[in-house]
């Protein structure tokens, strides 16, 4: 099964520059889609396909910075490479602080643009993989019943089946059944592996909230 080719989305209200940049990137082996405005890009049928966005800083309506903010809040955020016809230090700083992959002048050599696009695509695929991993882990936790979560807490504290049964007011056989179900749903074979997985979920949630 072939991997899905990531797409370079180019957003620029300068029709001539949009055509020229699209041709250059296509000739360099990238899959490319062009848009004349940020609104046109946002109105596309967005999916989960990996990619990056190459966007003009200054455009009528939504600016490149506005688009960057919208992307960050979307279900499939992608790295952004900014292009500008005029040097703007304040905008550059704002864009980079918000996570832009690069900030280039439109007069920059083609090699610089190609390098920025390659880095953005690599980063985009890595970040998408991390989001997929996080979603999978969350789904495993959510598949546990309320009682199984209670048992899980006691298991992680190192409690024995007999102790858990006493704490929860259930028989030991029921505890064993819950433990088996927990290990199956969490896709682990040992308590140590279960503990590492729960720790990873907690760390990812903390990272996402920071």
């Amino acid at each position: 099964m072939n991997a899905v080719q990531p797409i370079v989305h180019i957003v620029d209200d300068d029709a001539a520059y949009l055509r020229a940049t699209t041709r250059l990137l296509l000739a360099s082996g990238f899959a490319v889609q062009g848009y004349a405005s940020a609104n046109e890009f946002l109105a596309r049928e967005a999916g989960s396909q990996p990619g990056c966005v190459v966007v003009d800083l200054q455009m009528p309506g939504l600016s490149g910075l506005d688009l960057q903010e919208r992307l960050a809040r979307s279900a499939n955020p992608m790295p952004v490479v900014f292009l500008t016809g005029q040097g703007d230090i304040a905008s550059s700083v704002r864009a980079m602080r918000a996570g832009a992959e690069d900030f280039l002048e439109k007069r920059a050599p083609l090699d610089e643009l190609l390098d920025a696009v390659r880095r953005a695509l690599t980063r985009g695929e890595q970040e998408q993989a991390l989001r997929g991993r996080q979603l999978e882990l969350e789904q495993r936790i959510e598949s546990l019943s309320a009682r199984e979560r209670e048992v899980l807490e006691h298991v992680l504290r190192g409690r024995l089946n007999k102790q858990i049964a006493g704490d929860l007011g259930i028989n030991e056989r029921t505890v064993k059944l819950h433990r088996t179900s927990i290990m199956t749903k969490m896709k682990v074979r040992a308590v140590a592996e279960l503990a590492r997985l729960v720790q990873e979920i907690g760390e990812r949630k903390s990272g996402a909230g920071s």
Side-chain angles (χ1 to χ4, degrees):
M1 182 177 180
N2 295 328
V4 177
Q5 184 177 12
I7 296 177
V8 181
H9 302 274
I10 308 176
V11 186
D12 199 314
D13 64 306
D14 183 333
Y17 187 85
L18 180 61
R19 286 194 302 271
T21 306
T22 298
R23 285 198 300 267
L24 287 171
L25 291 178
L26 285 171
S28 299
F30 297 102
V32 184
Q33 291 182 3
Y35 311 85
S37 69
N39 282 325
E40 183 181 334
F41 169 78
L42 293 170
R44 81 196 191 286
E45 184 177 346
S48 59
Q49 189 166 3
C52 70
V53 179
V54 178
V55 60
D56 190 8
L57 175 66
Q58 298 294 343
M59 296 182 292
L62 293 176
S63 69
L65 292 171
D66 294 330
L67 179 56
Q68 182 185 31
E69 291 179 3
R70 296 282 188 93
L71 268 174
R73 299 194 300 267
S74 71
N76 184 33
M78 290 179 280
V80 178
V81 175
F82 279 95
L83 298 174
T84 179
Q86 300 176 351
D88 184 338
I89 295 177
S91 295
S92 173
V93 170
R94 179 181 167 188
M96 299 304 286
R97 283 180 175 173
E101 181 61 39
D102 213 332
F103 195 99
L104 304 172
E105 291 191 6
K106 288 187 173 182
R107 299 188 300 272
L110 176 59
D111 286 347
E112 289 188 18
L113 175 60
L114 295 179
D115 179 61
V117 167
R118 292 188 187 100
R119 284 187 281 107
L121 291 176
T122 297
R123 174 182 157 192
E125 290 181 315
Q126 292 171 342
E127 291 177 349
Q128 187 179 63
L130 289 174
R131 289 194 299 273
R133 172 67 172 171
Q134 177 64 26
L135 178 60
E136 181 192 355
L137 295 180
E138 290 175 356
Q139 289 173 339
R140 291 188 199 180
I141 284 289
E142 290 171 1
S143 71
L144 301 180
S145 68
R147 177 62 85 184
E148 287 169 348
R149 295 187 190 197
E150 288 181 326
V151 172
L152 173 60
E153 290 179 7
H154 286 74
V155 169
L156 294 177
R157 286 163 48 196
R159 305 284 283 173
L160 301 176
N161 289 347
K162 184 176 181 179
Q163 295 172 317
I164 297 173
D167 291 341
L168 298 181
I170 56 180
N171 63 56
E172 192 172 344
R173 177 175 171 76
T174 301
V175 173
K176 291 179 180 179
L177 290 173
H178 283 315
R179 288 186 69 141
T180 299
S181 179
I182 290 168
M183 302 296 273
T184 300
K185 290 180 178 179
M186 296 298 289
K187 300 181 180 180
V188 294
R189 296 183 178 181
V191 173
E193 188 181 358
L194 178 64
R196 285 195 298 271
L197 190 62
V198 172
Q199 181 180 7
E200 179 184 351
I201 293 171
E203 289 174 350
R204 287 178 179 276
K205 284 187 175 180
S206 298
S210 61

